[in-house]
């Protein structure tokens, strides 16, 4: 029980684990549930246990895993990463494991926790901790914001990243798809965005883009692991790639030059350019149509060259387009200066620029995701001299990534409006998968527990010993991590 990260609320297990001969055949008994979902759960279990697993089988399995809902009915809402229905209970008995949740998210978390309770001792034996877990996340939204615009990360690497996130019961992968240096999602309406913007990157970084087919596949892979993909098209700043690919977005109609540096805040789109609002309407409507999840991020950060009036026009137009398309808009904290629709979610990141509007928005009920640059920006080095990462805010050690409270991190914020936490990875200087995971691990485990486990149940040395033990799994999976950050 104490080996599960993030730490569950409650659990009781027999001291001596039960041993049984392997291989064990698991079968999933969710007769009432959606078949597609049964397949997804089976895949998830197969990936963890490397065993033949059958769905809805009354076969000769000697161990049955049952996925049930508290009222015995099928979980009706099949979208993963629901903000509701993430609680789960597990009971492990000699011949039957039951995972109970009112939503599919909870079933996934049950499987993830099960991984720590039912283990292969060797090729001939399994060890099972018999007992129960009763668990639910403290914060509903637990994400990673991943920049694939400055430097592209291809499908196979994004899938490996999703696996790491699933292990730690994250439920959101927020992809920063566009910026000055590149445009990473194919658009049917504006193909030149990726024909040009898919071939550029920050100096030293990789270019590339996701096709529409990749997008469908990536969301399905994430969904099978309980994760919703939240796409971000960043406007009205961070738009040089669009200005390069679409001359009509520029004043005077001449395309902007390609940009491959690491500066921020210089590019912008214009209210007075005729093509701008139609572009926003089309690109965000299209994005909403191809996105399975409920949330669309529209950036809104660091629009340093945009006047307050223009900012309001562009951001309010975009939020309306997203809302009209049936989605919930999410934007970086700068959007607090605009008039926000009730549902809009603010993402707080820069503790040095917390305008009073953020607290005012919170007082009237606007929800936030907390991503402080001194706690969860993992493009920051974990210590001076690490040799990778930036430090424009500070270095962030594992302990600093762990010991903080999202509900009180931003002054003036109503704690009840805090929806969740996101770690963030920016890729101006992170250009390959090994550097990426070295910066993310072990700190990603810290943010996971910050979001999952209530503050009063978190304890640093206990956490540290759990992640030290888990680092063996990362090693076995061939995932590079920062060993020095696991010291005491
Ligand atoms: C700030 S965080 C940014 C990004 C940079 C990052 C570098 C945010 C909303 N904007 O554009 O990549 O700092 O750490």
């Amino acid at each position: 029980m104490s080996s599960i990260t993030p730490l569950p609320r409650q659990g009781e297990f027999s001291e001596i684990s039960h041993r049984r001969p392997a291989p064990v055949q698991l079968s999933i008994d969710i007769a009432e549930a959606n078949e597609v979902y049964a397949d997804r759960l089976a895949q998830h279990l197969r990936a963890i246990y490397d065993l033949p697993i059958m769905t809805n089988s009354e076969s000769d399995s000697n161990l049955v895993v049952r996925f049930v809902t508290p009222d015995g009915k099928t979980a009706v809402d099949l979208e993963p990463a629901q903000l509701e229905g993430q609680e789960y209970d597990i009971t492990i008995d000699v011949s039957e494991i039951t995972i109970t949740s009112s939503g599919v998210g909870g079933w996934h978390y049950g499987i993830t926790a099960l991984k720590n309770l039912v283990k292969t001792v060797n090729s001939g034996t399994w060890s099972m901790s018999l007992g129960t877990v009763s668990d639910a996340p403290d914060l509903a939204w637990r994400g990673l914001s991943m920049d694939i615009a400055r430097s592209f990360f291809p499908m196979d690497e994004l899938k490996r990243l999703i696996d790491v996130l699933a292990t730690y019961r994250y439920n959101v992968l927020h992809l920063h798809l566009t910026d000055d240096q590149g445009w990473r999602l194919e658009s049917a309406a504006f193909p030149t965005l990726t024909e040009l913007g898919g071939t550029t990157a920050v100096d030293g970084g990789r270019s590339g883009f996701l096709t529409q087919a990749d997008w469908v596949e990536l969301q399905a892979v994430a969904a099978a692991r309980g994760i919703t993909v939240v796409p971000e098209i960043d406007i009205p700043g961070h738009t040089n790639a669009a200005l390069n690919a679409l001359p009509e977005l520029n004043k005077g109609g001449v395309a902007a030059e390609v940009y491959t540096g690491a500066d921020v805040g210089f590019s912008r789109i214009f209210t007075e350019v005729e093509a701008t609002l139609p572009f926003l309407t089309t690109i965000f409507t299209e994005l909403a149509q191809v996105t399975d999840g409920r949330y669309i991020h529209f950036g809104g950060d660091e629009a340093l060259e945009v006047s307050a009036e223009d900012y309001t026009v562009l951001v309010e137009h975009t939020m309306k387009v997203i809302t009209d398309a049936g989605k919930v808009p999410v934007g970086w904290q700068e959007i607090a200066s605009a008039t926000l629709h009730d549902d809009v979610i603010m993402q707080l990141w820069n503790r040095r620029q917390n305008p009073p509007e953020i607290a005012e928005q919170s007082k009237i009920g606007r929800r936030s995701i907390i991503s402080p640059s001194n706690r969860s920006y993992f493009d920051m080095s974990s210590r001076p001299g690490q040799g990778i990462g930036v430090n424009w805010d500070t270095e962030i050690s594992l302990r600093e990534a762990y010991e903080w409270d999202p509900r009180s991190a931003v002054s003036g914020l109503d704690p009840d409006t805090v929806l969740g936490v996101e770690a963030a990875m920016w890729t101006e200087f992170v250009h390959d998968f090994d550097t990426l995971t070295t910066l993310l691990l072990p700190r990603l485990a810290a943010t996971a527990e910050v979001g999952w486990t209530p503050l009063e149940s978190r304890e640093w040395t206990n956490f540290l010993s759990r992640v030290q033990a888990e680092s063996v799994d990362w090693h076995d999976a061939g995932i590079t991590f920062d060993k020095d950050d696991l010291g005491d």
Side-chain angles (χ1 to χ4, degrees):
M1 152 75 187
S2 64
S3 67
I4 301 177
T5 304
L7 191 68
R9 288 194 178 203
Q10 256 184 344
E12 265 180 56
F13 285 93
S14 58
E15 302 234 331
I16 302 161
S17 56
H18 173 77
R19 293 197 169 211
R20 57 181 308 131
V24 178
Q25 188 186 46
L26 299 178
S27 69
I28 299 175
D29 176 9
I30 44 174
E32 284 185 80
N34 177 306
E35 290 243 337
V36 174
Y37 224 81
D39 281 343
R40 285 188 188 167
L41 292 168
Q43 270 175 31
H44 198 53
L45 278 167
R46 281 183 204 116
I48 290 175
Y49 291 115
D50 194 21
L51 286 171
I53 289 161
M54 307 175 45
T55 56
N56 293 336
S57 100
E58 296 297 320
S59 70
D60 52 355
S61 309
N62 53 3
L63 180 61
V64 177
V65 182
R66 286 188 204 289
F67 293 90
V68 298
T69 53
D71 54 7
K73 293 206 188 101
T74 306
V76 279
D77 201 340
L78 293 179
E79 189 193 326
Q82 280 306 301
L83 301 186
E84 296 83 38
Q86 298 188 57
E87 80 295 337
Y88 68 89
D89 290 344
I90 308 176
T91 309
I92 303 181
D93 217 329
V94 178
S95 60
E96 186 167 300
I97 296 172
T98 309
I99 302 180
T100 310
S101 179
S102 65
V104 296
W107 286 346
H108 282 280
Y109 304 139
I111 297 174
T112 309
L114 201 63
K115 183 184 175 197
N116 297 278
L117 301 168
V118 178
K119 294 191 172 193
T120 317
V121 177
N122 56 43
S123 60
T125 320
W126 266 31
S127 103
M128 297 166 55
S129 309
L130 304 185
T132 60
V133 172
S134 187
D135 195 14
D138 187 36
L139 292 172
W141 179 303
R142 302 168 308 284
L144 170 69
S145 168
M146 174 70 203
D147 173 9
I148 61 168
R150 269 56 175 266
S151 182
F152 183 61
F153 286 74
M155 282 291 278
D156 59 323
E157 295 178 357
L158 293 176
K159 289 180 192 170
R160 291 182 75 194
L161 181 61
I162 285 170
D163 277 335
V164 175
L165 294 176
T167 308
Y168 288 103
R169 280 179 255 146
Y170 279 85
N171 60 354
V172 171
L173 173 60
H174 161 185
L175 284 179
H176 183 74
L177 293 166
T178 72
D179 214 300
D180 295 321
Q181 299 86 345
W183 190 284
R184 307 297 177 207
L185 180 62
E186 185 182 28
S187 158
F190 302 101
T192 55
L193 285 170
T194 50
E195 283 165 12
L196 296 172
T199 65
T200 57
V202 74
D203 285 326
R206 292 178 289 177
S207 57
F209 65 95
L210 303 174
T211 63
Q212 291 280 338
D214 290 338
W215 186 242
V216 169
E217 185 189 345
L218 191 71
Q219 292 180 91
V221 166
R225 288 152 185 80
I227 293 171
T228 290
V229 179
V230 176
E232 177 186 348
I233 289 182
D234 197 351
I235 61 99
H238 292 276
T239 38
N240 194 73
L243 294 159
N244 173 252
L246 301 171
E248 66 269 29
L249 292 181
N250 296 267
K251 271 196 196 168
V254 179
E257 300 281 309
V258 167
Y259 182 73
T260 61
D263 287 344
V264 294
F266 61 89
S267 61
R268 58 162 302 184
I269 49 174
F270 304 90
T271 45
E272 63 270 35
V273 168
E274 214 180 309
T276 300
L277 295 186
F279 167 72
L280 291 174
T281 304
T282 306
I283 200 78
F284 279 99
T285 304
E286 186 185 314
L287 184 63
Q289 280 162 357
V290 298
T291 297
D292 298 334
R294 292 183 185 163
Y295 309 93
I296 301 283
H297 204 303
F298 62 94
D301 58 314
E302 298 175 318
L304 307 181
E305 299 295 326
V306 183
S307 70
E309 290 84 7
D310 282 0
Y311 184 85
T312 306
V313 170
L314 296 165
V315 158
E316 290 181 3
H317 175 82
T318 303
M319 286 190 287
K320 182 167 183 326
V321 172
I322 296 170
T323 308
D324 287 350
K327 304 288 184 181
V328 176
V330 187
W332 296 104
Q333 68 187 45
E334 287 89 337
I335 67 164
S337 63
T339 305
L340 303 184
H341 187 275
D342 283 355
D343 279 352
V344 174
I345 299 168
M346 305 183 288
Q347 183 165 13
L348 310 189
W349 64 279
N350 191 337
R351 66 196 165 111
R352 298 189 176 139
Q353 292 170 6
N354 282 345
E357 289 89 346
I358 292 177
E360 284 159 25
Q361 294 282 5
S362 157
K363 284 198 189 89
I364 53 170
R366 301 288 171 270
R367 297 171 301 170
S368 328
I369 301 162
I370 314 293
S371 303
S373 52
N374 63 330
R375 298 292 190 175
S376 59
Y377 267 37
F378 297 147
D379 58 329
M380 306 280 160
S381 309
S382 61
R383 59 187 173 279
Q386 187 184 13
I388 49 173
V390 296
N391 66 353
W392 62 256
D393 189 330
T394 178
E395 284 83 16
I396 307 174
S397 68
L398 178 62
R399 186 166 187 164
E400 286 161 333
Y402 185 71
E403 288 190 318
W404 65 285
D405 173 20
R407 289 197 175 83
S408 63
V410 181
S411 63
L413 214 64
D414 174 349
D416 292 339
T417 61
V418 173
L419 186 60
V421 281
E422 266 191 22
M425 176 53 68
W426 303 99
T427 57
E428 290 94 331
F429 305 100
V430 178
H431 302 154
D432 60 74
F433 195 71
D434 283 348
T435 309
L436 174 70
T437 58
T438 304
L439 285 165
L440 286 178
L441 289 171
R443 294 182 292 182
L444 208 53
T447 312
E449 190 151 306
V450 165
W452 188 280
T453 309
L455 184 65
E456 60 277 12
S457 308
R458 289 197 262 128
E459 201 273 313
W460 161 245
T461 51
N462 174 288
F463 169 74
L464 180 63
S465 62
R466 278 180 284 120
V467 282
Q468 280 168 341
E470 278 155 26
S471 69
V472 175
D473 295 341
W474 310 333
H475 178 265
D476 290 350
I479 296 173
T480 312
F481 61 96
D482 182 14
K483 288 188 189 62
D484 294 338
D485 206 16
L486 280 172
D488 214 334

